[in-house]
Amino acid sequence: MDERQKRRAEYKSWKKGYYHLCTDGKKGTICHDEAEYVYLVNTISLLDLLFPVKVHFYEVMRSHLHLLLSGRGEHCVAVFDYVKRRINKRLVQDGHPPLPEDYDFKLIPVVDEDQMRKNGIYIARNASEVLNIRPGGYLFGSSMVFYSDVFRLFDTVRAGDLSERKLRKVFQTHVPIPPDRLIHPGLGMVLPQCFVDLDVLYKVFPTAKEFETRLVKDYEAFIEIADQIGEEITFSVEEAKDIVKQELMMEGRILSDLSNDDRCALAVRLNKKYRLDAVTLSQSIFIPARIISQALKSKKYHE
């Protein structure tokens, strides 16, 4: 049994709970155009009809997807296998190569409310990490309906008002679709408010303001979850400046009072804690990147 099989066997043994399922973002493209994004969202909308799971949050990206699910580990593994089969079917249908055999996923247990908050904001922020779009403004993720009334502006049609032939065309399946599922007639995409159970996220984010604050300010959460699922995350210079301010505020200090030696020590800590590179650190704590690079290599600041 190889490592992948061992990991799958372990996942299958996990009891019912909350899990963050993230597919491999480095081994293939799962969506080449808007129609394939829509198809994948519609696939996600089928999961609670086919498996004893609930979808609580999702974000579909070009090379991977994030799902916040509740259910047993074995059912989460079955969800991945089903989604992968559907993706491959559509890729081949559209003239693209299927995903490689070793295209895989990670399943991260979400064991308490703090972990739920961290995973929730990580998923909500995912698209804005690589696209020039704000969190909640992305069409192919469920955060657009979280603490939002914007979805009320969307034209919708009930699945129950469509013919069986039309439903099969939209979903590309013979699975019976609940009549109250809402579909955007222009995109042919199911809207998240009718199949995503957001209650657990409303519980851990009791106000929109708390959600927005953590979404912007909880840098440690972004790093923690990225490390768990093997993704890279990059902070902008403005975010790095805010990180510097937060770190110094906790210590009761301000940047203008720090010597160059203190700034080097701070740079080394922030590089380790937040993966900030020398150039970004240079623009955030205002000493040359060359000096920071030297400090990162020096034993003096790693004691």
Side-chain angles (χ1 to χ4, degrees):
M1 183 181 291
D2 62 22
E3 287 303 314
R4 180 171 177 269
Q5 291 171 324
K6 289 179 181 177
R7 190 167 58 250
R8 284 173 61 93
E10 180 185 357
Y11 291 163
K12 288 181 179 180
S13 72
W14 290 353
K15 64 183 181 180
K16 186 174 181 180
Y18 294 100
Y19 298 101
H20 178 177
L21 188 160
C22 178
T23 65
D24 194 334
K26 300 177 181 178
K27 290 188 176 178
T29 297
I30 62 177
C31 296
H32 294 81
D33 56 31
E34 184 175 274
E36 290 179 355
Y37 280 94
V38 169
Y39 170 84
L40 193 40
V41 171
N42 288 349
T43 295
I44 294 170
S45 78
L46 299 172
L47 298 179
D48 68 323
L49 307 177
L50 295 166
F51 306 97
V53 300
K54 288 184 179 181
V55 177
H56 300 283
F57 229 38
Y58 70 86
E59 196 112 311
V60 175
M61 303 299 294
R62 184 174 183 272
S63 63
H64 66 288
L65 67 88
H66 293 271
L67 291 171
L68 183 58
L69 302 169
S70 60
R72 299 181 65 85
E74 62 183 305
H75 299 132
C76 293
V77 173
V79 160
F80 168 75
D81 291 340
Y82 174 74
V83 171
K84 183 180 176 182
R85 286 196 303 271
R86 290 265 299 184
I87 291 171
N88 278 339
K89 179 181 177 181
R90 180 61 186 253
L91 289 175
V92 172
Q93 177 183 311
D94 289 351
H96 304 297
L99 295 171
E101 281 294 320
D102 62 349
Y103 186 83
D104 207 1
F105 72 107
K106 287 191 176 181
L107 197 63
I108 309 300
V110 182
V111 298
D112 54 31
E113 291 190 355
D114 184 53
Q115 284 295 307
M116 183 65 71
R117 281 187 284 269
K118 290 177 178 178
N119 282 271
I121 61 174
Y122 188 89
I123 295 172
R125 182 185 164 102
N126 208 247
S128 63
E129 283 295 310
V130 295
L131 301 172
N132 186 25
I133 196 167
R134 66 175 181 80
Y138 186 58
L139 281 181
F140 309 111
S142 55
S143 59
M144 68 172 170
V145 298
F146 189 54
Y147 279 117
S148 173
D149 281 336
V150 171
F151 66 87
R152 294 174 59 191
L153 296 174
F154 297 167
D155 289 332
T156 61
V157 59
R158 294 175 69 257
D161 295 331
L162 298 177
S163 67
E164 288 295 324
R165 181 179 179 182
K166 179 65 175 177
L167 288 174
R168 283 196 296 273
K169 182 179 180 181
V170 169
F171 291 94
Q172 297 189 30
T173 182
H174 289 281
V175 174
I177 306 301
D180 58 350
R181 295 277 159 113
L182 300 176
I183 301 167
H184 186 282
L187 289 172
M189 184 174 76
V190 184
L191 297 179
Q193 65 266 30
C194 61
F195 71 90
V196 176
D197 183 349
L198 291 168
D199 287 351
V200 67
L201 287 167
Y202 281 121
K203 180 181 178 182
V204 298
F205 296 110
T207 66
K209 185 172 290 187
E210 181 176 346
F211 175 67
E212 291 288 342
T213 300
R214 282 183 171 267
L215 195 64
V216 175
K217 297 288 188 180
D218 199 346
Y219 302 110
E220 289 188 53
F222 308 149
I223 291 293
E224 179 182 327
I225 304 304
D227 285 348
Q228 287 180 334
I229 61 182
E231 290 190 344
E232 295 180 3
I233 192 167
T234 303
F235 294 116
S236 68
V237 173
E238 287 305 312
E239 288 173 322
K241 288 179 179 178
D242 193 44
I243 288 171
V244 170
K245 184 178 179 181
Q246 283 190 29
E247 289 287 311
L248 292 176
M249 189 179 299
M250 287 189 293
E251 299 171 3
R253 300 192 294 170
I254 58 175
L255 185 62
S256 60
D257 290 341
L258 300 188
S259 66
N260 276 2
D261 195 54
D262 289 335
R263 294 183 192 217
C264 284
L266 175 63
V268 171
R269 289 206 315 273
L270 297 183
N271 169 262
K272 181 178 181 181
K273 188 173 181 179
Y274 296 101
R275 318 292 192 267
L276 296 176
D277 60 46
V279 174
T280 304
L281 285 165
S282 173
Q283 295 172 299
S284 307
I285 60 178
F286 308 108
I287 55 175
R290 172 182 55 83
I291 294 176
I292 293 177
S293 295
Q294 292 172 349
L296 294 177
K297 298 174 185 176
S298 172
K299 292 182 180 179
K300 175 181 178 180
Y301 300 105
H302 292 273
E303 296 174 354

